[in-house]
Amino acid sequence: MSNFQPYIFLGFLSLSTLSLSLGQDNDILLQHELYQYADRLQIKYPQDTALFLGAKPYGRDALNQFFAFADTSSMGYKQKAWHKRMQYLLDDELSLKQVGEGVFNTLYKNKRDFFHIQTPTVNIFINPALNLGVGRETHEFSTGISPQTLLNNSRGISIRGTLFNKIGFYSEVYDNITRFPQYQFDRYRQTDVLEGEAFIKLFGEQNGLDYLSSKAYITVSPIKNIRIKFGKDRAFWGYGHQSLALSDVATDHLLLNIRTRFWKFEYVNHFAQMIDFVRNKRDDEGTFPRKFAVFHQLTFQPNSRWSLGLFESIVYTPTLANGNRGFELSYLNPIIFYRSAEQALGSPDNSFLGLQGRVNLWKRLQLYGQLTIDDYNFGVRDQGSGYWANKYGYQLGLKYIDVLNIPSMDLQLEYNSVRPYTYQHINVSASYQHYGQSLGHAAGANLYDVTAILRYRPLPALQLYGSYTYLKQGLDENGINYGADPSISYAVNRFQDFNNTVAQGSTYTVHQLFGRASYQLWKTDAYLDGELVWREETGGRTVYLLAGLRVGIPGRIQRR
């Protein structure tokens, strides 16, 4: 075990022993449609109940309370039915009131969960985790065969619940055998990394990959306004489609997350142990090197209309040129200004600072944004523009509820720009990555993109989702580092010191149309899905159709 884990474990145990008899819960899986519905409620049906949406995931109990206080009297029939479906997915007490004979007098007795156990001190909910589908792709790339069959075959189980009204827990594991579209498989062959996953094995002869997915954590509240979570999961900070600060693109990591609420503030601490991925590592070379990250965010939310957050992070490696320091104890201070602590150590680490916020207008619109600063040197402004070390990214976005007065149709527009060399560090082990996957924008840096998303609920059980994305990025060429890839040191073959521009280098563009129709079965977290994708990028194009059954696994959001 690393030096980090004993501190987390001992600290968690000591806090757990202080726990009061408070109901505990577990988090909503990231990318679940409940998050989009929560955004919609906050914009269209504002209420005094505090729900801070800038740091995901958040707990079922908090979201359920928010849903319960929504003013449903002004909703139409279809919107009320939609609201009830969403609330039923959240509210365990509501589901337990529906208990009947079920299937074989054992399964789906509450009409929602495959199997559940209810006692005065224990609630356990067990469900399958399935993603079974088949599709067809036609592509024009320099590699691969066209056309080809696509396959989703994910099978597993999820278990969640509460123990003694003090501890919440969640655990899931499922095995995946997948045949990916050509562009995704080519990306894996180039990097040995599959976004959102860890250890990967090739399967079959045609674009097949085999891998396990798992996460598990426990939660506890020592006092009413503090919630502590320890285990393996991921996070997403921001209000947008992308996050430039902390994204859920990378696979799950070991974490200790502490959320503290007081008056109109929320303060989030996120301590993480991550992996410094090494390509082509042999098994006899031992484990992957560890790296660590610390994040905190203070959010001020005076009312339901607007919110403003200040965040900061450090990513660092325990091994430096002068020896192995292990986990840096200075970063355990939960309220210190991280940049000051990092500079006092000799400035060896990768630090970030930023802002994010949103404002709701007229119960129809939300404007949101995010600014992430990796580094900025004001002292070189008189020497020229485009200084390489002025590394930052920003996001501007809009959400429009009931667009064109069509009930249950929502539009989202978003623009992101990330300057060259953002997320890179002189020590590649301290890059803004986990397991070779970005912790910020899904595609890295030296880019800008535009995304439009349309969501429509014509029936309470039917969700239609469509998106268009345009991305332009400057990639490395002829061994020159133009600043796109976070896994490269900014000290190696950097293009130039001044006159650097966004998307410099070898031009790479993407145009992508993505559509998905999801029909919810009964009151369970189960859906019949159909997906259609048209994608044109530098180097080729692809069109594919995929259909299947999804149970307990959120439909993945296309971020790249």
Side-chain angles (χ1 to χ4, degrees):
M1 294 179 69
S2 73
N3 293 336
F4 183 36
Q5 290 164 312
Y7 289 108
I8 289 182
F9 187 63
L10 292 175
F12 186 83
L13 284 181
S14 64
L15 287 167
S16 297
T17 59
L18 299 174
S19 178
L20 303 177
S21 296
L22 301 172
Q24 297 308 301
D25 64 342
N26 17 80
D27 290 335
I28 302 301
L29 292 173
L30 287 168
Q31 302 189 14
H32 198 285
E33 65 173 314
L34 283 166
Y35 288 102
Q36 180 266 330
Y37 188 70
D39 282 344
R40 177 183 173 83
L41 284 185
Q42 190 182 63
I43 298 168
K44 188 174 175 102
Y45 306 100
Q47 54 182 280
D48 293 333
T49 303
L51 182 63
F52 292 80
L53 300 179
K56 305 177 182 67
Y58 31 82
R60 301 175 67 89
D61 284 354
L63 189 58
N64 185 45
Q65 182 183 19
F66 182 74
F67 279 22
F69 280 95
D71 180 13
T72 60
S73 62
S74 59
M75 295 182 181
Y77 170 76
K78 291 182 180 179
Q79 286 72 47
K80 286 183 179 179
W82 180 15
H83 183 77
K84 288 181 179 179
R85 282 180 176 268
M86 297 294 97
Q87 197 168 7
Y88 199 81
L89 289 178
L90 274 177
D91 194 335
D92 291 338
E93 292 186 7
L94 180 62
S95 71
L96 292 173
K97 291 178 182 178
Q98 310 296 318
V99 172
E101 292 185 359
V103 180
F104 306 123
N105 200 31
T106 303
L107 308 178
Y108 291 108
K109 295 183 69 173
N110 66 353
K111 301 180 182 180
R112 186 192 68 181
D113 297 289
F114 181 76
F115 183 75
H116 79 272
I117 299 171
Q118 181 188 19
T119 74
T121 57
V122 175
N123 284 316
I124 298 176
F125 302 91
I126 301 175
N127 282 290
L130 298 173
N131 189 3
L132 308 175
V134 65
R136 194 69 171 168
E137 178 197 29
T138 299
H139 64 258
E140 299 177 17
F141 286 95
S142 59
T143 59
I145 303 171
S146 178
Q148 63 183 4
T149 299
L150 305 180
L151 175 69
N152 284 335
N153 186 0
S154 301
R155 297 141 287 110
I157 189 173
S158 68
I159 304 173
R160 67 173 182 87
T162 58
L163 302 176
F164 314 114
N165 293 320
K166 294 185 177 183
I167 299 175
F169 67 90
Y170 180 87
S171 181
E172 72 173 30
V173 60
Y174 49 94
D175 181 57
N176 308 270
I177 296 175
T178 305
R179 285 182 176 171
F180 282 95
Q182 189 66 42
Y183 77 94
Q184 290 181 311
F185 187 75
D186 286 346
R187 189 185 302 155
Y188 164 76
R189 295 304 296 263
Q190 293 167 5
T191 63
D192 289 341
V193 166
L194 180 63
E195 287 181 2
E197 305 298 339
F199 181 72
I200 309 293
K201 296 183 294 184
L202 290 172
F203 175 82
E205 298 180 355
Q206 191 180 72
N207 291 20
L209 298 177
D210 184 3
Y211 51 97
L212 279 172
S213 299
S214 68
K215 67 180 64 186
Y217 57 82
I218 55 178
T219 65
V220 67
S221 293
I223 59 176
K224 181 179 179 180
N225 292 332
I226 295 179
R227 184 176 188 265
I228 302 169
K229 172 181 175 181
F230 172 68
K232 181 188 177 190
D233 200 1
R234 65 186 82 178
F236 184 94
W237 286 11
Y239 302 96
H241 174 67
Q242 297 274 0
S243 174
L244 309 184
L246 178 57
S247 175
D248 60 352
V249 174
T251 188
D252 303 280
H253 56 266
L254 183 68
L255 60 86
L256 172 64
N257 183 276
I258 305 172
R259 301 182 79 127
T260 306
R261 296 186 180 183
F262 54 98
W263 193 48
K264 298 180 184 297
F265 291 92
E266 180 184 66
Y267 189 61
V268 181
N269 293 101
H270 191 87
F271 304 94
Q273 176 182 275
M274 297 181 173
I275 297 296
D276 181 18
F277 180 71
V278 178
R279 293 191 67 182
N280 303 317
K281 183 191 73 66
R282 302 191 311 269
D283 292 344
D284 59 6
E285 293 176 326
T287 63
F288 286 114
R290 303 297 197 274
K291 61 191 295 184
F292 301 104
V294 288
F295 309 81
H296 57 202
Q297 177 174 211
L298 178 65
T299 301
F300 176 55
Q301 187 167 294
N303 51 50
S304 61
R305 184 178 178 183
W306 67 278
S307 179
L308 181 66
L310 171 67
F311 59 82
E312 191 181 16
S313 64
I314 299 284
V315 179
Y316 68 97
T317 173
T319 303
L320 297 174
N322 60 353
N324 191 334
R325 61 175 173 171
F327 180 77
E328 182 53 64
L329 297 180
S330 299
Y331 298 140
L332 280 178
N333 188 329
I335 58 176
I336 199 168
F337 182 56
Y338 282 150
R339 179 57 172 159
S340 173
E342 189 266 345
Q343 287 179 328
L345 295 171
S347 198
D349 303 321
N350 197 0
S351 62
F352 289 79
L353 179 69
L355 292 166
Q356 64 180 30
R358 53 93 182 159
V359 58
N360 298 337
L361 303 171
W362 308 299
K363 298 183 181 180
R364 299 292 293 274
L365 293 177
Q366 180 182 98
L367 305 178
Y368 65 89
Q370 192 174 63
L371 172 66
T372 299
I373 302 173
D374 185 352
D375 200 1
Y376 200 94
N377 191 329
F378 289 95
V380 299
R381 286 178 296 177
D382 58 346
Q383 300 180 37
S385 62
Y387 185 53
W388 76 271
N390 289 344
K391 301 176 289 181
Y392 59 88
Y394 66 91
Q395 174 186 94
L396 298 172
L398 175 147
K399 297 174 185 177
Y400 181 15
I401 303 301
D402 291 341
V403 61
L404 301 178
N405 290 320
I406 301 175
S408 306
M409 178 178 285
D410 303 336
L411 174 68
Q412 181 177 357
L413 302 174
E414 181 173 301
Y415 175 81
N416 295 283
S417 177
V418 186
R419 283 194 56 80
Y421 308 106
T422 304
Y423 306 133
Q424 289 187 0
H425 194 256
I426 191 169
N427 184 346
V428 295
S429 296
S431 65
Y432 210 66
Q433 292 182 304
H434 163 52
Y435 213 95
Q437 301 161 50
S438 176
L439 293 173
H441 192 288
N446 193 23
L447 60 82
Y448 63 86
D449 66 15
V450 179
T451 299
I453 299 172
L454 191 66
R455 300 177 176 92
Y456 182 45
R457 178 76 64 154
L459 300 172
L462 179 62
Q463 171 77 39
L464 303 180
Y465 176 100
S467 68
Y468 167 75
T469 297
Y470 171 74
L471 177 144
K472 183 175 182 180
Q473 185 174 30
L475 302 181
D476 297 347
E477 187 177 31
N478 298 325
I480 298 176
N481 175 12
Y482 285 98
D485 187 353
S487 65
I488 298 175
S489 170
Y490 58 62
V492 176
N493 296 332
R494 191 171 61 245
F495 175 45
Q496 56 189 9
D497 286 348
F498 289 91
N499 299 317
N500 292 280
T501 59
V502 174
Q504 65 186 11
S506 177
T507 300
Y508 171 73
T509 61
V510 175
H511 295 269
Q512 178 174 280
L513 286 169
F514 174 84
R516 178 168 59 222
S518 299
Y519 188 84
Q520 184 184 9
L521 302 176
W522 310 292
K523 296 181 180 180
T524 65
D525 203 9
Y527 306 85
L528 293 176
D529 281 345
E531 292 183 0
L532 178 63
V533 175
W534 173 87
R535 179 184 176 97
E536 183 173 70
E537 60 188 291
T538 302
R541 65 170 58 91
T542 183
V543 178
Y544 70 82
L545 176 66
L546 190 63
L549 170 68
R550 176 171 50 85
V551 183
I553 299 176
R556 286 205 171 178
I557 296 174
Q558 296 276 348
R559 299 199 195 277
R560 183 178 177 182

